Amino acid sequence: MKTRVLVFVLLALLAGVLSVSAQARTPIYVYTDSDTNISDWWTNTIIPAFEAEYPQYEVILTIVRGVGSGNADIAARALAALETGDDPQVDYFEQINVESVPAWLENDLFVEITPENVPNIANVLEATNRIPQEIPYRGSQVLLAYNSEFVAEDEVPTTYAELIEWIKAHPGQFVYNRPDRGGSGAAMVTRAIFEVTGRDPSKFVPGTPDPELVAQFPKAWELLGSIHESIYEKGAYPAGNTPVLELFANGSVNMITAWSDQALQAINRGLLPESTRLTQLQDLPFTGGYANSAIPTNAANLEGALALANFVLTPEIQRTVVEEIGGFPGVNWELLPAELQEQFTSVITDTVPVWPGGEYSAIMVEGWYNNVATNIDRNS
Amino acid sequence: MTTLARTSTRQRQWRGAILAYLLVAPPLLLMVLLIFIPATQSIARTLTISVDGQPGFSFSRYAAFFSDPISVNNLLFTFQVTLLTLAVIFIVCFPLSLYLRFSTGRIASAVQILALFPLFVPGIILCYALIRFLGTRGTLDTLLSLVGITGYRTPYLKPEAIVIGLVWESIPFTVLVLTAGLRQVSDTLIESARDVGAGDWTIFRRIILPLIVRPALIVFSLNFLGIFGSYTIPYLLGPAAPQMMGVFMQQTFGQYRRPDDAETQAVITFLICAFVGFLYVRTVASQRLTREEE
């Protein structure tokens, strides 16, 4: 009986000591609303690596995916706390669009990131087009995936014009999905629009569409219409990114447009043929985008948050962006291991065009359905 | 004494009537609030246009719909797919129901279970299963090439795939209604016909066929309603163009961002379905009337 009490007291003491030592580590509250693959990657890779390097910090990851508006709600809370001077209880947003609510930037809710407070931000790619409050640390881009068993090395298209030629020369072997049903198909269509408007995505500014640009869209329909009969099954467009990957996986087609992360993950899981190769157009790449982290100015543990920001931009973590989540690094590829660069040499690009979306997308999608997917002439 | 009895009877009648109305009230209210009022509002909206800020009456939205070749083509396509699907449903389900009505035994009950199986499979799962089964290098393609048949053309992303998917989905309901209808044909009726020397064909044509018209009409109208407005199967298995009305409406509303046009398409679809719904209601009502007469 006595020994039991003794053991119990000792255990209680031990627990007390442990909790005190745990408290000695300052918490960094991280919020994410990204998909499972991202939150898993944080839990299993980033956080253990960071805590090993910075034992004084403890990262507490809260997943708000699917809860209200996710991180936007947490940012709204941080803004309210900023006004009252309270603790926002958030130190780091894994991913947030800092421009989505004008009040955030107007009230300086987010820290401006400079090489002074986050040294590694200097390595971030120009192509990310970041504004000072953004920490672009992972990206993904639409690529061409092809089966090297059936597509010879020397006939792999390097420009959009060559891609169109290849599709015409190999009827039934290429497919992309309907532009409103997944970004990989949309990229094929928006790239046609970029092609006929002078390959300058910077002309496309979010907001009200420029009528002069829209007037040139019919040229893109003509271009895509010219390959309609050469698409899989004489113009059968699947309803999503995944059905396209499936057609590629079972050998129905030998070339597709695909999201880099979806394609890389499928390759890693053995879902795509081993002879799958990825490549990017050299004249102007397909569209893509970056996920940006941000740090609230009123973060209780600002120092820790800045250290974390710097840490996710180290080559060590940026490598895992490619290897574990199939994303693209936010930093210069040259900082990554040589063999990784070698492996991805054909997809590395320093331009990532962005499609403005919104009203532009409505016009793009409707134009495609009415002019490319069907052979009915609306004006006849 | 008699007056007392009369009042209590009247009270009972009263109570019964109130209870009946109370029971009917919730679904009736739901119908009025969630279907009739919004539908009437929709129809009214599609018929008004704003002229200098003043609402005016106009058929212009309908004129626009029917003068647009793509819209008209989608509507015709929906009719084609619906009627073709219905035809196939009858070809498949009618013999199946006859078999289930007149045979007993283990095989029959196994067939019965199989025929009802699609009832328990969600549409989206069915779509992905069919893609795997019917697609290029899918199960069917592989099996055919095993026996030496090559040159298989997949129906996936073509109108045929929509028909296959919709037929598969409609089998259980159709078989249920048709077998129920066939069970009303009594064995004695058939036996006595046989006794007077009628052959199978005569029995089928003179007895079964006339008695099955009503269940067949019910099956036709209810399936028509489901198929005409279907979304998941045409969206996942069908071509990008032409589109069935369900997909077209969603597209116009969500992607082209033109709620007005989507509403017009919805009203047109609604009116067509309402007409078929009317056929159904008339069939059921006439059945009731004949029963009461009996």
Side-chain angles (χ1 to χ4, degrees), chain B residues 202-271:
Chain B
T202 322
I203 292 177
F204 176 73
R205 210 166 52 92
R206 290 284 176 81
I207 298 176
I208 296 176
L209 218 49
L211 282 172
I212 197 88
V213 167
R214 210 173 270 155
L217 255 175
I218 292 176
V219 162
F220 172 84
S221 39
L222 288 186
N223 272 331
F224 184 98
L225 297 178
I227 294 167
F228 203 81
S230 59
Y231 177 76
T232 314
I233 289 177
Y235 160 51
L236 283 172
L237 295 177
Q243 292 170 328
M244 284 183 73
M245 290 308 282
V247 183
F248 185 42
M249 274 185 260
Q250 197 278 337
Q251 193 90 25
T252 312
F253 181 79
Q255 306 298 330
Y256 307 167
R257 302 187 184 191
R258 288 203 313 239
D260 291 359
D261 290 343
E263 196 164 42
T264 312
Q265 294 159 8
V267 169
I268 291 169
T269 313
F270 171 76
L271 290 179

Coordinates of all heavy atoms in Angstrom, one line a residue, chain B residues 202-271:
Chain B
T202 N -52.1 -15.4 -77.2 CA -53.4 -14.8 -77.1 C -53.6 -14.3 -75.6 O -54.1 -13.2 -75.4 CB -54.5 -15.8 -77.4 OG1 -54.1 -16.6 -78.5 CG2 -55.9 -15.1 -77.7
I203 N -53.2 -15.1 -74.7 CA -53.3 -14.7 -73.3 C -52.6 -13.4 -73.0 O -53.1 -12.4 -72.4 CB -52.8 -15.8 -72.3 CG1 -53.7 -17.0 -72.4 CG2 -52.6 -15.3 -70.9 CD1 -53.2 -18.2 -71.6
F204 N -51.4 -13.3 -73.6 CA -50.5 -12.1 -73.4 C -51.2 -10.9 -74.1 O -51.3 -9.9 -73.4 CB -49.2 -12.4 -74.1 CG -48.3 -11.1 -74.1 CD1 -47.7 -10.7 -72.9 CD2 -48.0 -10.4 -75.2 CE1 -46.9 -9.6 -72.8 CE2 -47.2 -9.3 -75.2 CZ -46.7 -8.9 -74.0
R205 N -51.7 -11.1 -75.3 CA -52.2 -10.0 -76.0 C -53.6 -9.5 -75.5 O -53.9 -8.4 -75.4 CB -52.4 -10.3 -77.5 CG -52.2 -9.1 -78.4 CD -52.0 -9.6 -79.9 NE -53.0 -10.6 -80.2 CZ -54.2 -10.2 -80.9 NH1 -54.4 -9.0 -81.1 NH2 -55.0 -11.1 -81.2
R206 N -54.5 -10.5 -75.2 CA -55.9 -10.2 -74.8 C -56.0 -10.0 -73.3 O -57.0 -9.3 -72.9 CB -56.8 -11.4 -75.2 CG -56.9 -11.5 -76.7 CD -57.9 -10.5 -77.2 NE -58.0 -10.5 -78.7 CZ -58.8 -11.3 -79.3 NH1 -59.5 -12.2 -78.7 NH2 -58.8 -11.3 -80.6
I207 N -55.2 -10.6 -72.5 CA -55.4 -10.4 -71.0 C -54.3 -9.6 -70.4 O -54.6 -8.6 -69.7 CB -55.5 -11.8 -70.3 CG1 -56.7 -12.6 -70.9 CG2 -55.6 -11.7 -68.8 CD1 -56.8 -14.0 -70.4
I208 N -53.1 -10.0 -70.5 CA -52.0 -9.3 -69.8 C -51.8 -7.9 -70.3 O -51.8 -6.9 -69.5 CB -50.7 -10.1 -69.9 CG1 -50.9 -11.5 -69.2 CG2 -49.6 -9.4 -69.3 CD1 -49.8 -12.4 -69.3
L209 N -51.7 -7.8 -71.6 CA -51.4 -6.4 -72.1 C -52.4 -5.4 -71.7 O -52.0 -4.3 -71.2 CB -51.3 -6.5 -73.7 CG -50.2 -5.6 -74.3 CD1 -48.9 -5.8 -73.6 CD2 -50.1 -6.0 -75.8
P210 N -53.7 -5.6 -71.9 CA -54.7 -4.6 -71.5 C -54.6 -4.3 -70.0 O -54.8 -3.1 -69.6 CB -56.1 -5.2 -71.8 CG -55.8 -6.3 -72.8 CD -54.4 -6.8 -72.5
L211 N -54.3 -5.3 -69.2 CA -54.3 -5.1 -67.7 C -53.0 -4.3 -67.3 O -52.9 -3.8 -66.2 CB -54.4 -6.4 -67.0 CG -55.9 -6.9 -67.0 CD1 -55.9 -8.3 -66.4 CD2 -56.8 -6.0 -66.2
I212 N -52.0 -4.4 -68.1 CA -50.7 -3.8 -67.7 C -50.5 -2.4 -68.2 O -49.6 -1.7 -67.8 CB -49.5 -4.7 -68.2 CG1 -48.2 -4.4 -67.5 CG2 -49.3 -4.5 -69.7 CD1 -48.1 -5.2 -66.2
V213 N -51.5 -1.9 -69.0 CA -51.4 -0.5 -69.5 C -51.1 0.5 -68.4 O -50.3 1.4 -68.5 CB -52.6 -0.2 -70.4 CG1 -52.6 1.3 -70.7 CG2 -52.6 -1.0 -71.7
R214 N -51.9 0.4 -67.4 CA -51.8 1.4 -66.4 C -50.5 1.5 -65.6 O -49.8 2.5 -65.5 CB -53.0 1.3 -65.4 CG -53.4 2.6 -64.8 CD -54.6 2.5 -64.0 NE -55.8 2.7 -64.7 CZ -57.0 2.1 -64.4 NH1 -57.1 1.4 -63.3 NH2 -58.1 2.4 -65.0
P215 N -50.0 0.3 -65.1 CA -48.7 0.3 -64.5 C -47.6 0.8 -65.5 O -46.7 1.5 -65.1 CB -48.4 -1.1 -64.1 CG -49.7 -1.8 -64.2 CD -50.7 -1.0 -64.9
A216 N -47.8 0.4 -66.8 CA -46.8 0.9 -67.7 C -46.8 2.4 -67.9 O -45.7 3.0 -68.0 CB -47.1 0.2 -69.1
L217 N -48.0 3.0 -67.9 CA -48.1 4.4 -67.9 C -47.4 5.1 -66.7 O -46.7 6.1 -66.8 CB -49.6 4.9 -68.0 CG -50.0 5.3 -69.4 CD1 -51.5 5.6 -69.4 CD2 -49.3 6.6 -69.8
I218 N -47.7 4.5 -65.6 CA -47.0 5.0 -64.3 C -45.5 5.0 -64.4 O -44.8 5.9 -64.2 CB -47.5 4.2 -63.1 CG1 -49.0 4.5 -62.9 CG2 -46.8 4.6 -61.9 CD1 -49.7 3.7 -61.8
V219 N -45.0 3.8 -64.9 CA -43.6 3.6 -65.0 C -43.1 4.7 -66.0 O -42.0 5.3 -65.8 CB -43.3 2.2 -65.5 CG1 -41.9 2.1 -66.1 CG2 -43.4 1.2 -64.4
F220 N -43.8 4.8 -67.2 CA -43.3 5.8 -68.2 C -43.2 7.2 -67.6 O -42.2 7.8 -67.7 CB -44.3 5.7 -69.4 CG -44.1 6.8 -70.4 CD1 -43.1 6.6 -71.4 CD2 -44.7 8.0 -70.3 CE1 -42.9 7.6 -72.3 CE2 -44.5 9.0 -71.2 CZ -43.5 8.8 -72.2
S221 N -44.3 7.6 -66.9 CA -44.3 9.0 -66.5 C -43.3 9.3 -65.4 O -42.5 10.2 -65.4 CB -45.7 9.5 -66.1 OG -46.4 8.5 -65.4
L222 N -43.2 8.4 -64.4 CA -42.3 8.6 -63.3 C -40.8 8.5 -63.8 O -40.0 9.3 -63.4 CB -42.5 7.7 -62.1 CG -43.8 8.0 -61.4 CD1 -43.9 7.1 -60.1 CD2 -43.9 9.4 -60.9
N223 N -40.5 7.5 -64.6 CA -39.2 7.5 -65.2 C -38.8 8.7 -66.0 O -37.7 9.2 -66.0 CB -39.0 6.2 -66.0 CG -38.6 5.0 -65.1 OD1 -37.9 5.2 -64.1 ND2 -39.0 3.8 -65.6
F224 N -39.8 9.1 -66.8 CA -39.6 10.3 -67.6 C -39.1 11.5 -66.8 O -38.2 12.1 -67.1 CB -40.9 10.6 -68.4 CG -40.7 11.8 -69.4 CD1 -40.5 11.5 -70.7 CD2 -40.7 13.1 -68.9 CE1 -40.4 12.6 -71.6 CE2 -40.6 14.1 -69.8 CZ -40.4 13.9 -71.2
L225 N -39.9 11.7 -65.7 CA -39.6 12.8 -64.8 C -38.1 12.7 -64.3 O -37.4 13.7 -64.3 CB -40.5 12.9 -63.7 CG -42.0 13.2 -64.1 CD1 -42.9 13.2 -62.8 CD2 -42.1 14.5 -64.8
G226 N -37.8 11.5 -63.8 CA -36.5 11.3 -63.2 C -35.4 11.5 -64.3 O -34.3 12.1 -64.0
I227 N -35.6 11.0 -65.5 CA -34.5 11.0 -66.5 C -34.4 12.4 -67.1 O -33.3 12.9 -67.3 CB -34.9 9.9 -67.6 CG1 -34.8 8.5 -67.0 CG2 -33.9 10.1 -68.8 CD1 -35.4 7.5 -67.9
F228 N -35.5 13.0 -67.4 CA -35.5 14.3 -68.0 C -34.7 15.3 -67.2 O -34.0 16.2 -67.7 CB -36.9 14.9 -68.2 CG -37.0 15.9 -69.3 CD1 -37.1 15.4 -70.7 CD2 -37.0 17.2 -69.1 CE1 -37.2 16.3 -71.7 CE2 -37.1 18.1 -70.1 CZ -37.2 17.7 -71.4
G229 N -34.8 15.3 -65.9 CA -34.1 16.2 -65.1 C -32.8 15.7 -64.4 O -32.3 16.3 -63.5
S230 N -32.3 14.5 -64.9 CA -31.2 13.9 -64.3 C -29.9 14.7 -64.4 O -29.8 15.5 -65.4 CB -30.9 12.5 -64.9 OG -30.7 12.6 -66.3
Y231 N -29.0 14.6 -63.5 CA -27.8 15.4 -63.5 C -26.5 14.6 -63.4 O -25.7 14.7 -64.3 CB -27.9 16.5 -62.4 CG -26.6 17.3 -62.3 CD1 -26.4 18.3 -63.2 CD2 -25.6 17.0 -61.4 CE1 -25.3 19.1 -63.2 CE2 -24.5 17.8 -61.4 CZ -24.3 18.8 -62.3 OH -23.1 19.5 -62.3
T232 N -26.4 13.8 -62.4 CA -25.1 13.2 -62.1 C -24.6 12.3 -63.3 O -23.5 12.4 -63.7 CB -25.2 12.3 -60.8 OG1 -25.8 13.0 -59.9 CG2 -23.8 11.9 -60.4
I233 N -25.5 11.4 -63.8 CA -25.1 10.5 -64.8 C -24.7 11.2 -66.1 O -23.6 11.0 -66.7 CB -26.1 9.4 -65.0 CG1 -26.1 8.5 -63.8 CG2 -25.9 8.6 -66.3 CD1 -27.1 7.4 -63.7
P234 N -25.6 12.1 -66.6 CA -25.2 12.8 -67.8 C -24.0 13.7 -67.7 O -23.2 13.8 -68.6 CB -26.4 13.7 -68.1 CG -27.4 13.4 -67.1 CD -27.0 12.4 -66.2
Y235 N -23.8 14.2 -66.5 CA -22.6 15.1 -66.2 C -21.3 14.3 -66.2 O -20.4 14.7 -66.9 CB -22.9 15.8 -64.9 CG -21.6 16.4 -64.3 CD1 -20.7 17.2 -65.0 CD2 -21.3 16.2 -62.9 CE1 -19.6 17.7 -64.4 CE2 -20.2 16.7 -62.3 CZ -19.4 17.4 -63.1 OH -18.2 17.9 -62.5
L236 N -21.3 13.1 -65.6 CA -20.1 12.4 -65.4 C -19.8 11.4 -66.6 O -18.7 11.2 -67.0 CB -20.1 11.6 -64.1 CG -19.8 12.4 -62.9 CD1 -20.0 11.5 -61.7 CD2 -18.3 12.9 -62.9
L237 N -20.9 10.9 -67.2 CA -20.7 9.9 -68.3 C -20.9 10.5 -69.7 O -20.4 9.9 -70.7 CB -21.7 8.7 -68.1 CG -21.5 7.9 -66.8 CD1 -22.5 6.8 -66.8 CD2 -20.1 7.3 -66.8
G238 N -21.6 11.6 -69.8 CA -22.0 12.1 -71.1 C -21.0 13.0 -71.7 O -19.9 13.4 -71.1
P239 N -21.2 13.5 -72.9 CA -20.3 14.4 -73.6 C -20.4 15.8 -73.1 O -21.3 16.2 -72.4 CB -20.8 14.3 -75.1 CG -22.3 14.0 -75.0 CD -22.4 13.2 -73.7
A240 N -19.3 16.6 -73.4 CA -19.3 18.0 -73.0 C -20.4 18.8 -73.7 O -21.0 19.7 -73.2 CB -18.0 18.6 -73.3
A241 N -20.7 18.3 -75.0 CA -21.8 18.9 -75.7 C -22.3 17.9 -76.7 O -21.5 17.1 -77.2 CB -21.3 20.2 -76.5
P242 N -23.6 17.8 -77.0 CA -24.7 18.5 -76.3 C -24.9 18.1 -74.9 O -24.4 17.0 -74.5 CB -25.9 18.2 -77.2 CG -25.6 16.9 -77.8 CD -24.1 16.8 -78.0
Q243 N -25.6 18.9 -74.2 CA -25.9 18.6 -72.8 C -27.3 18.3 -72.5 O -28.2 18.9 -73.2 CB -25.4 19.8 -71.9 CG -23.9 20.0 -71.9 CD -23.6 21.3 -71.2 OE1 -24.3 22.3 -71.3 NE2 -22.4 21.3 -70.6
M244 N -27.6 17.5 -71.5 CA -29.0 17.4 -71.1 C -29.4 18.6 -70.2 O -28.5 19.3 -69.7 CB -29.2 16.1 -70.3 CG -29.2 14.9 -71.2 SD -29.5 13.3 -70.3 CE -31.2 13.4 -69.9
M245 N -30.7 18.9 -70.1 CA -31.1 20.1 -69.5 C -30.6 20.3 -68.1 O -30.2 21.4 -67.7 CB -32.6 20.2 -69.5 CG -33.3 20.4 -70.9 SD -32.6 21.8 -71.8 CE -33.4 23.1 -71.0
G246 N -30.5 19.2 -67.3 CA -30.0 19.3 -65.9 C -28.6 19.9 -65.9 O -28.3 20.9 -65.2
V247 N -27.7 19.4 -66.7 CA -26.3 19.8 -66.8 C -26.3 21.2 -67.3 O -25.6 22.1 -66.8 CB -25.5 18.9 -67.6 CG1 -24.1 19.3 -67.6 CG2 -25.6 17.4 -67.1
F248 N -27.1 21.5 -68.4 CA -27.1 22.8 -69.1 C -27.5 23.9 -68.1 O -26.9 24.9 -68.1 CB -28.1 22.7 -70.3 CG -28.1 23.9 -71.1 CD1 -26.9 24.5 -71.5 CD2 -29.3 24.3 -71.7 CE1 -26.9 25.6 -72.3 CE2 -29.3 25.5 -72.5 CZ -28.2 26.1 -72.8
M249 N -28.5 23.6 -67.3 CA -29.0 24.6 -66.4 C -27.9 25.0 -65.3 O -27.6 26.1 -65.1 CB -30.2 24.1 -65.6 CG -31.5 24.3 -66.2 SD -32.8 23.7 -65.1 CE -33.1 22.1 -65.8
Q250 N -27.3 23.9 -64.8 CA -26.3 24.1 -63.8 C -25.2 24.9 -64.4 O -24.6 25.9 -63.8 CB -25.8 22.8 -63.3 CG -25.0 22.8 -62.0 CD -23.6 23.2 -62.2 OE1 -23.0 23.0 -63.3 NE2 -23.0 23.7 -61.2
Q251 N -24.8 24.6 -65.6 CA -23.7 25.2 -66.3 C -24.0 26.7 -66.5 O -23.2 27.6 -66.2 CB -23.6 24.6 -67.7 CG -22.4 24.9 -68.4 CD -21.3 23.9 -68.1 OE1 -21.6 22.8 -67.7 NE2 -20.1 24.3 -68.2
T252 N -25.3 27.0 -67.0 CA -25.7 28.4 -67.3 C -25.7 29.2 -66.0 O -25.2 30.3 -65.9 CB -27.0 28.4 -67.9 OG1 -27.1 27.5 -69.0 CG2 -27.4 29.8 -68.5
F253 N -26.2 28.5 -64.9 CA -26.3 29.3 -63.7 C -24.9 29.5 -63.0 O -24.6 30.6 -62.7 CB -27.2 28.5 -62.7 CG -27.4 29.1 -61.4 CD1 -28.3 30.2 -61.3 CD2 -26.7 28.7 -60.3 CE1 -28.5 30.8 -60.1 CE2 -26.9 29.4 -59.1 CZ -27.8 30.4 -59.0
G254 N -24.2 28.4 -62.9 CA -23.0 28.4 -62.1 C -21.7 28.9 -62.9 O -20.9 29.6 -62.3
Q255 N -21.6 28.5 -64.1 CA -20.4 28.8 -64.8 C -20.5 30.0 -65.7 O -19.6 30.8 -65.7 CB -20.0 27.6 -65.7 CG -19.8 26.3 -64.9 CD -18.8 26.3 -63.8 OE1 -17.8 27.1 -63.9 NE2 -19.0 25.6 -62.8
Y256 N -21.6 30.1 -66.5 CA -21.7 31.3 -67.3 C -22.2 32.5 -66.5 O -22.3 33.6 -67.1 CB -22.7 31.0 -68.5 CG -22.5 29.7 -69.3 CD1 -23.4 29.2 -70.2 CD2 -21.2 29.1 -69.2 CE1 -23.2 28.1 -70.9 CE2 -21.0 27.9 -70.0 CZ -22.0 27.4 -70.8 OH -21.7 26.3 -71.6
R257 N -22.7 32.2 -65.3 CA -23.2 33.3 -64.4 C -24.3 34.0 -65.1 O -24.3 35.3 -65.1 CB -22.1 34.2 -64.1 CG -20.9 33.5 -63.4 CD -20.0 34.5 -62.9 NE -18.8 33.8 -62.3 CZ -17.9 34.4 -61.6 NH1 -18.0 35.6 -61.3 NH2 -16.9 33.7 -61.1
R258 N -25.3 33.3 -65.6 CA -26.5 33.9 -66.2 C -27.7 33.3 -65.5 O -28.4 32.5 -66.2 CB -26.5 33.8 -67.7 CG -25.4 34.7 -68.3 CD -25.8 34.9 -69.7 NE -26.2 33.7 -70.3 CZ -25.6 33.1 -71.4 NH1 -24.7 33.8 -72.0 NH2 -26.0 32.0 -71.8
P259 N -28.0 33.7 -64.3 CA -29.2 33.1 -63.6 C -30.5 33.3 -64.4 O -31.4 32.4 -64.3 CB -29.2 33.9 -62.3 CG -28.3 35.0 -62.4 CD -27.3 34.7 -63.5
D260 N -30.7 34.4 -65.1 CA -31.9 34.6 -65.8 C -32.2 33.5 -66.8 O -33.2 33.0 -66.9 CB -31.9 36.0 -66.5 CG -31.9 37.1 -65.6 OD1 -32.0 36.9 -64.3 OD2 -31.8 38.3 -66.0
D261 N -31.1 33.3 -67.6 CA -31.3 32.2 -68.7 C -31.5 30.9 -68.0 O -32.3 30.1 -68.5 CB -30.0 32.2 -69.6 CG -29.9 33.5 -70.4 OD1 -31.0 34.1 -70.5 OD2 -28.9 33.8 -70.9
A262 N -30.8 30.6 -66.9 CA -30.9 29.3 -66.3 C -32.4 29.2 -65.8 O -33.0 28.1 -65.9 CB -30.0 29.2 -65.1
E263 N -33.0 30.3 -65.3 CA -34.3 30.2 -64.9 C -35.3 29.9 -66.0 O -36.2 29.1 -65.9 CB -34.7 31.6 -64.2 CG -36.0 31.5 -63.4 CD -36.1 32.7 -62.4 OE1 -35.8 33.8 -62.9 OE2 -36.5 32.5 -61.3
T264 N -35.0 30.5 -67.2 CA -35.9 30.2 -68.3 C -35.8 28.8 -68.7 O -36.8 28.1 -68.9 CB -35.4 31.1 -69.5 OG1 -35.3 32.4 -69.1 CG2 -36.4 31.0 -70.6
Q265 N -34.5 28.2 -68.7 CA -34.4 26.8 -69.0 C -35.1 26.0 -68.0 O -35.7 25.0 -68.3 CB -32.9 26.5 -69.0 CG -32.1 27.1 -70.1 CD -30.6 27.2 -69.7 OE1 -30.1 26.6 -68.7 NE2 -29.8 27.9 -70.5
A266 N -35.0 26.4 -66.7 CA -35.7 25.6 -65.7 C -37.2 25.6 -65.9 O -37.9 24.6 -65.7 CB -35.3 26.2 -64.3
V267 N -37.8 26.8 -66.2 CA -39.2 26.8 -66.4 C -39.6 25.9 -67.6 O -40.6 25.2 -67.5 CB -39.7 28.3 -66.6 CG1 -41.1 28.3 -67.1 CG2 -39.5 29.1 -65.3
I268 N -38.9 26.0 -68.7 CA -39.2 25.1 -69.8 C -39.2 23.7 -69.4 O -40.1 22.9 -69.7 CB -38.2 25.4 -71.0 CG1 -38.5 26.8 -71.5 CG2 -38.4 24.4 -72.1 CD1 -37.5 27.3 -72.5
T269 N -38.1 23.3 -68.7 CA -38.0 21.9 -68.2 C -39.2 21.6 -67.3 O -39.8 20.5 -67.4 CB -36.7 21.7 -67.5 OG1 -35.6 22.3 -68.2 CG2 -36.4 20.2 -67.2
F270 N -39.5 22.5 -66.4 CA -40.6 22.3 -65.5 C -41.9 22.1 -66.2 O -42.7 21.2 -65.8 CB -40.6 23.5 -64.5 CG -41.8 23.5 -63.6 CD1 -41.9 22.7 -62.5 CD2 -42.9 24.4 -63.9 CE1 -43.0 22.7 -61.7 CE2 -44.0 24.4 -63.1 CZ -44.1 23.6 -62.0
L271 N -42.2 22.9 -67.2 CA -43.5 22.8 -67.9 C -43.6 21.4 -68.6 O -44.6 20.8 -68.6 CB -43.6 23.9 -68.9 CG -43.8 25.3 -68.3 CD1 -44.0 26.4 -69.3 CD2 -45.1 25.3 -67.4

